[in-house]
Amino acid sequence: MLGIKRLGLLAALVLVGVAPAAAAQAAAQPSTQDTQYLQAVHQVNLFEITAGDLAQQKGQDQGVKDLGAMLKTDHTQLDQTVQQTASQLGVELPNEPNADQQAVIDKLNNASGAEFDRLWVTSELAGHVQAIQATQTEISQGSEQSVVQLAQTALPTLQTHYDELVALANKLGIPVPQTSASGTPSPGGTGTESPAPGGTGTESPAPGGGTGTESPAPGGGTTEVPAPSES
């Protein structure tokens, strides 16, 4: 009888220990905002690494080649942190750019000379606007501290890229999309105005393409694109 009582007590202690552990694991699950930001920014990085390679290979202007190298290096480093954070949180990441981003890569592959430079710069401007806005949203609305910190680290780099792209566009005589008062996109949100990178909203397409009418995706035209706000 004593042995049975001890076993019962041991089982109770085990259950007491398991319950808090299970609760802690459930509490550690990242929010939809955090999860979809990680997934979206990972796809942005995949797109930027490929686009950076193409700029170095096909760019006519040396500035395009140099900036392409910079973007590839920075987004490769950023993605290492994204993958580490996602792994720690149990977030599954896509293994390739989304369909819209791949469509832009296909266009870049088929372009050459000054046409390539113009398409690349225009695509990168639109893509970085969306990435900056999504990152700002994560900083303000994210709940998982490691993801918020990642976004805080990424924002100055993305802003630097945008500024360099504007300077390059001005040097090459490529129109910089006008700014508008569009709101900051929320990764994975359901709104129709400002989807996150990789989203499919109707007005502000994600980096890498889309069918929006206000903020052209990479490879799009020069209609209104929301400018990143001051960091």
Side-chain angles (χ1 to χ4, degrees):
M1 291 294 295
L2 184 58
I4 294 175
K5 288 183 179 179
R6 286 179 177 174
L7 287 174
L9 178 60
L10 179 59
L13 290 174
V14 169
L15 289 174
V16 168
V18 168
Q25 184 176 9
Q29 293 300 311
S31 67
T32 298
Q33 163 70 34
D34 297 324
T35 296
Q36 294 189 350
Y37 176 73
L38 285 172
Q39 293 170 337
V41 77
H42 176 61
Q43 287 186 303
V44 169
N45 291 333
L46 295 179
F47 171 81
E48 293 296 343
I49 291 167
T50 301
D53 272 336
L54 289 174
Q56 294 174 77
Q57 297 166 12
K58 304 186 65 175
Q60 176 174 281
D61 185 85
Q62 187 61 42
V64 172
K65 292 179 178 291
D66 292 343
L67 189 51
M70 174 183 174
L71 296 187
K72 179 183 178 181
T73 297
D74 289 349
H75 281 277
T76 297
Q77 293 175 348
L78 174 59
D79 204 55
Q80 291 174 352
T81 304
V82 171
Q83 292 186 55
Q84 290 171 358
T85 303
S87 177
Q88 292 168 357
L89 297 175
V91 173
E92 185 175 353
L93 297 177
N95 57 15
E96 60 186 8
N98 65 37
D100 290 334
Q101 292 164 338
Q102 188 59 53
V104 175
I105 291 171
D106 292 342
K107 289 181 181 179
L108 290 170
N109 275 318
N110 292 327
S112 60
E115 178 190 2
F116 174 90
D117 288 355
R118 177 178 293 269
L119 176 60
W120 188 84
V121 172
T122 302
S123 301
E124 290 293 342
L125 281 168
H128 275 80
V129 164
Q130 295 296 324
I132 287 170
Q133 290 181 325
T135 299
Q136 290 170 334
T137 297
E138 173 60 29
I139 292 171
S140 64
Q141 298 181 15
S143 56
E144 171 57 48
Q145 192 57 35
S146 62
V147 185
V148 173
Q149 288 177 346
L150 185 155
Q152 290 171 334
T153 300
L155 184 59
T157 299
L158 294 171
Q159 185 67 58
T160 297
H161 292 173
Y162 179 82
D163 294 342
E164 292 287 343
L165 286 161
V166 169
L168 181 59
N170 289 334
K171 187 190 85 166
L172 298 178
I174 298 172
V176 176
Q178 297 178 359
T179 62
S180 72
S182 296
T184 301
S186 175
T190 55
T192 58
E193 292 188 2
S194 304
T200 55
T202 59
E203 293 194 5
S204 299
T211 56
T213 57
E214 290 189 2
S215 301
T222 57
T223 51
E224 292 189 0
V225 172
S229 60
E230 294 294 329
S231 56

